Amino acid sequence: MGELVEMPHLRLRLHSGVGALDRPVSWTHTTDLPEPWRWVAGGELLMTNGVPIPRSASGQEELLRQLVEHGAAALAIGEHMYAPPLTKRLARTSEELGFPVLWIAYPMPFVAISRAVAEATLLEQSKRLIRTERIYQALQQVSSQSSELQKLTSALSRELGCGVRVCDRLTGHDWYPGVAPLHEEIRNAVTERRGKLRAGVIAVRLHGDRRALLVDVPMHPDAVLVALPEPTEQPDALLLQHAATVCALALSQVRLTIEHDRRTGAELLLQILDAELPPSVAQRQLEEWGLRLAEVVCVAARNDDDPDLLRNAHLNLWRSAVSHVTVHRGGTSLTLLPDDAVQVLEQALGQGGQAGVSDLVVRPDRVVDAVREATWALDIAREHGTPLLRYADADPLLGPRSPAEARALIDRVLGRIIELPPEQAGELLMTLRVFLENGRSWQRTAEALHVHRQTVLYRVRRIEQLTGKRVADTGDLAALWLALKAV
């Protein structure tokens, strides 16, 4: 700063802060926006025509305090332009904080000062370029394995001079597995995302003098770069942005591997469900995925409030090192995973998620039955507004306890309807379901199906004729409802 003031051709005049003329200036920035401290990254000489300067003494003091907190090197104001009179309180605050306030003589162009600073900081810029190059070189040493991501963040930590982590924005935990968890205070800072924005970096105060710097990771809205500098250190905001870009490229590589594994697992599960694999082959391939059937359950899950959470649940299982195979059918996911990891999946589904859990699979020929059990339990969970329901707990509500029992019940009660052409059978079964769900109200059923009341009456009478059941009889009604649930 002293060098700039001593350059007479720049026509800078000191207003206050004489004891801080040795503050280093790394760059210049010009703004006429309100709250100008939001647009500095650290080390800038902030130049303004005076519009952002408050008129009140308290406002001018707050301006200087914010600029100091956000790392600005000094404030330079265009003389005879738009600045209100500078107060004695501003001068006093400037001296107390060791923050220079300068006048730029009119009509000195701001760009001339910017050029002087650029020329004076050529060596520093060269060092920054070298560090930037090393940051990108670190990516070349990384493969798509999660352990390699840890090597990358370790290399970034060395270049930035502070701890660096990549975290999941939703939970605050590390985006990749096998890392010691961050302190709860830091995780909360990630999930709440509250703090002072500074050149694309959010600074969050932690306990004592510590702080966390959060940077969005490009192309990955679920990830955030977390830098944890020492209280006296100020990482370069531009280098933090480069580090976030490098992390984005590394995460893209990892996502490709994860997505490939997810598709491979889904194909395996679909082959088992379609009976395309002999039981011994199915068991061997599941064991290669780390799934021992004696410990595995099937989970059917939905999240109608936030489908993205359902689609990305396998990422949370990967981060928690949970062996699994998952396939999506419509709005439901079917996942085979160890029984003791069900809670991880439940948390990944979020607040609006619901899940049904089968009994233990045990044998490869029971996978299909386990899927049915999980799906039935999910249906009951949704009807009762329960986040998670196990098949064993849902048995009293489900009626039949096994697929064999369900098939027998369907054949006995609804067999003659199901033998009809598919269009007729579907029409009658839908009418019966809506009729029962609407408390056997002819009018509400007609409105729900968008048909005439007489049409509903005709269809229900046809159902009674085919099934031999009467909707006015409690026992027959229960049999019809349980058979519908089995379908």
Side-chain angles (χ1 to χ4, degrees):
M1 178 63 65
E3 293 180 0
L4 286 178
V5 175
E6 292 164 6
M7 294 180 182
H9 69 282
L10 295 181
R11 303 180 67 185
L12 293 172
R13 178 168 57 84
L14 181 67
H15 174 80
S16 57
V18 66
L21 289 177
D22 58 347
R23 287 174 67 95
V25 176
S26 59
W27 201 245
T28 61
H29 183 65
T30 302
T31 182
D32 299 320
L33 296 173
E35 300 182 344
W37 55 83
R38 295 186 179 277
W39 317 111
V40 298
E44 294 94 344
L45 169 65
L46 182 66
M47 298 183 291
T48 175
N49 63 8
V51 170
I53 308 297
R55 291 191 172 276
S56 67
S58 60
Q60 292 182 7
E61 177 184 357
E62 177 64 12
L63 170 65
L64 293 195
R65 293 191 181 279
Q66 289 288 355
L67 288 174
V68 170
E69 183 173 345
H70 284 76
L75 174 64
I77 307 168
E79 201 168 17
H80 305 309
M81 297 183 76
Y82 306 107
L86 301 187
T87 64
K88 293 181 179 179
R89 189 166 170 182
L90 177 141
R92 185 170 62 251
T93 304
S94 172
E95 299 293 346
E96 290 175 358
L97 298 178
F99 183 78
V101 176
L102 308 167
W103 289 109
I104 303 174
Y106 183 84
M108 182 67 185
F110 289 3
V111 68
I113 299 173
S114 296
R115 287 174 178 167
V117 171
E119 292 170 359
T121 58
L122 283 175
L123 179 59
E124 187 63 31
Q125 292 178 52
S126 176
K127 292 179 179 177
R128 175 187 281 172
L129 286 173
I130 293 172
R131 295 175 67 190
T132 301
E133 182 181 8
R134 288 203 297 260
I135 285 174
Y136 283 94
Q137 285 176 344
L139 181 63
Q140 300 175 5
Q141 311 301 321
V142 176
S143 70
S144 61
Q145 302 301 315
S146 62
S147 59
E148 297 296 317
L149 285 177
Q150 298 177 43
K151 293 181 181 178
L152 175 62
T153 52
S154 296
L156 295 178
S157 297
R158 289 192 297 272
E159 292 301 328
L160 295 170
C162 63
V164 172
R165 306 282 278 268
V166 179
C167 295
D168 173 48
R169 189 189 302 273
L170 181 65
T171 65
H173 291 286
D174 282 270
W175 200 92
Y176 43 86
V179 182
L182 287 166
H183 190 277
E184 183 180 3
E185 185 182 22
I186 301 173
R187 297 201 305 271
N188 290 340
V190 172
T191 57
E192 294 173 3
R193 303 272 300 164
R194 295 175 183 172
K196 296 182 179 298
L197 179 63
R198 175 175 162 185
V201 179
I202 293 180
V204 181
R205 286 191 176 279
L206 303 176
H207 182 71
D209 295 331
R210 303 278 295 180
R211 68 193 188 284
L213 304 178
L214 313 181
V215 188
D216 290 330
V217 177
M219 303 179 293
H220 298 276
D222 62 336
V224 60
L225 178 75
V226 181
L228 302 169
E230 295 295 329
T232 56
E233 296 296 326
Q234 181 57 55
D236 188 309
L238 183 59
L239 292 180
L240 283 174
Q241 297 285 357
H242 285 301
T245 300
V246 166
C247 289
L249 297 172
L251 289 187
S252 294
Q253 294 179 11
V254 173
R255 278 187 187 274
L256 288 175
T257 300
I258 296 172
E259 188 58 25
H260 175 269
D261 290 345
R262 186 199 66 78
R263 288 197 301 267
T264 303
E267 291 171 3
L268 171 60
L269 184 52
L270 286 173
Q271 287 179 321
I272 296 173
L273 295 179
D274 294 338
E276 296 179 3
L277 295 178
S280 60
V281 175
Q283 181 167 353
R284 185 182 71 252
Q285 292 195 16
L286 287 172
E287 288 178 351
E288 290 175 358
W289 279 87
L291 295 170
R292 298 179 66 250
L293 294 183
E295 304 168 353
V296 166
V297 294
C298 177
V299 178
R302 293 183 68 93
N303 188 327
D304 296 332
D305 295 338
D306 192 345
D308 286 341
L309 287 178
L310 182 70
R311 285 191 290 268
N312 293 325
H314 66 286
L315 287 175
N316 293 73
L317 295 175
W318 174 81
R319 290 185 191 118
S320 301
V322 174
S323 300
H324 67 282
V325 291
T326 297
V327 67
H328 291 270
R329 283 182 165 178
T332 302
S333 69
L334 301 172
T335 303
L336 297 182
L337 77 170
D339 190 23
D340 58 8
V342 169
Q343 186 178 8
V344 177
L345 179 56
E346 182 183 9
Q347 293 173 347
L349 293 174
Q351 198 167 17
Q354 291 182 295
V357 185
S358 74
D359 288 339
L360 290 172
V361 176
V362 182
R363 306 184 311 274
D365 59 355
R366 239 190 60 76
V367 172
V368 174
D369 289 348
V371 168
R372 291 197 181 103
E373 293 169 0
T375 303
W376 290 343
L378 172 61
D379 286 343
I380 297 300
R382 297 182 71 193
E383 288 182 12
H384 291 262
T386 304
L388 183 140
L389 185 66
R390 289 183 174 271
Y391 176 73
D393 299 329
D395 277 348
L397 301 172
L398 288 169
R401 292 180 51 87
S402 69
E405 289 181 15
R407 284 191 290 269
L409 177 62
I410 294 169
D411 291 342
R412 186 172 67 252
V413 178
L414 300 175
R416 293 188 62 191
I417 294 178
I418 292 176
E419 290 172 358
L420 295 173
E423 185 176 347
Q424 296 180 33
E427 185 178 78
L428 292 178
L429 291 175
M430 175 61 72
T431 300
L432 177 60
R433 184 179 188 90
V434 175
F435 180 67
L436 298 182
E437 288 177 345
N438 283 276
R440 291 177 291 170
S441 168
W442 306 101
Q443 188 59 41
R444 290 203 301 272
T445 303
E447 292 172 355
L449 293 173
H450 304 291
V451 297
H452 195 276
R453 184 175 181 276
Q454 284 299 119
T455 302
V456 177
L457 181 62
Y458 167 77
R459 292 179 183 175
V460 172
R461 294 293 176 254
R462 176 74 170 143
I463 291 168
E464 289 182 328
Q465 179 186 4
L466 290 168
T467 62
K469 306 294 182 183
R470 297 290 178 264
V471 296
D473 183 276
T474 302
D476 288 352
L477 191 66
L480 288 169
W481 177 247
L482 289 174
L484 271 179
K485 296 300 295 181
V487 170

